[in-house]
Amino acid sequence: MSQSKPCEIHINNQVYNCAFQVAIDVLDGKWKGLILWFLQSGTKRNSELCRLIPSITQKMLTQKLRELEEEGIVYRTVYPVVPPKVEYTLTEQGEKLIPILESLYQWGENYIVERQAEDKVQTA
């Protein structure tokens, strides 16, 4: 792991101090990671993502998908039909996140088990 002195990195119309900051910014918030998690299994339409993430509003889903598209993580395909058909898929750059997402998922599962065990001990 490389830890160098602070520098200025200009990307996505932002200025960052290190690559870790860039990665965290791309995955910021509670929605982007979840959207990417469901896109890793393949191309999805907007309505499919809404069903998979029922607690997200349409406005927020659209906003986060646009951000991911601007960041080069998600590719948007618009088909010239009525009603409009739009599909989202991971780009090559987005696919590189899959092992990270899987690691985060595994960490989350382990954390849940450990916390639930601790909670049981505390309430006993």
Side-chain angles (χ1 to χ4, degrees):
M1 192 178 328
S2 173
Q3 294 180 345
S4 57
K5 58 185 173 186
C7 62
E8 282 193 359
I9 302 165
H10 298 266
I11 191 166
N12 296 335
N13 298 317
Q14 300 286 330
V15 179
Y16 301 95
N17 295 315
C18 69
F20 182 81
Q21 189 180 17
V22 174
I24 292 301
D25 192 43
V26 168
L27 295 174
D28 77 328
K30 67 180 185 178
W31 300 119
K32 284 184 179 179
L34 203 49
I35 292 166
L36 295 172
W37 179 254
F38 289 116
L39 285 177
Q40 75 173 331
S41 63
T43 301
K44 301 278 186 285
R45 293 182 68 178
N46 191 297
S47 58
E48 290 176 278
L49 289 169
C50 279
R51 279 192 297 276
L52 291 167
I53 314 170
S55 53
I56 194 170
T57 64
Q58 181 60 57
K59 179 182 175 186
M60 183 61 65
L61 178 60
T62 299
Q63 177 184 334
K64 295 305 173 184
L65 285 166
R66 284 183 182 151
E67 289 174 13
L68 288 165
E69 183 182 9
E70 289 170 12
E71 294 161 343
I73 305 300
V74 168
Y75 182 73
R76 179 177 181 249
T77 304
V78 180
Y79 296 93
V81 295
V82 176
K85 178 180 176 183
V86 180
E87 293 181 335
Y88 297 91
T89 190
L90 294 177
T91 62
E92 185 177 325
Q93 202 62 29
E95 289 177 0
K96 292 178 184 177
L97 287 168
I98 291 174
I100 296 164
L101 296 170
E102 289 172 343
S103 291
L104 281 169
Y105 181 86
Q106 186 61 51
W107 181 88
E109 281 190 329
N110 292 338
Y111 182 78
I112 290 166
V113 169
E114 290 173 15
R115 291 300 300 192
Q116 287 177 338
E118 288 176 18
D119 289 348
K120 284 181 183 177
V121 168
Q122 290 175 359
T123 58

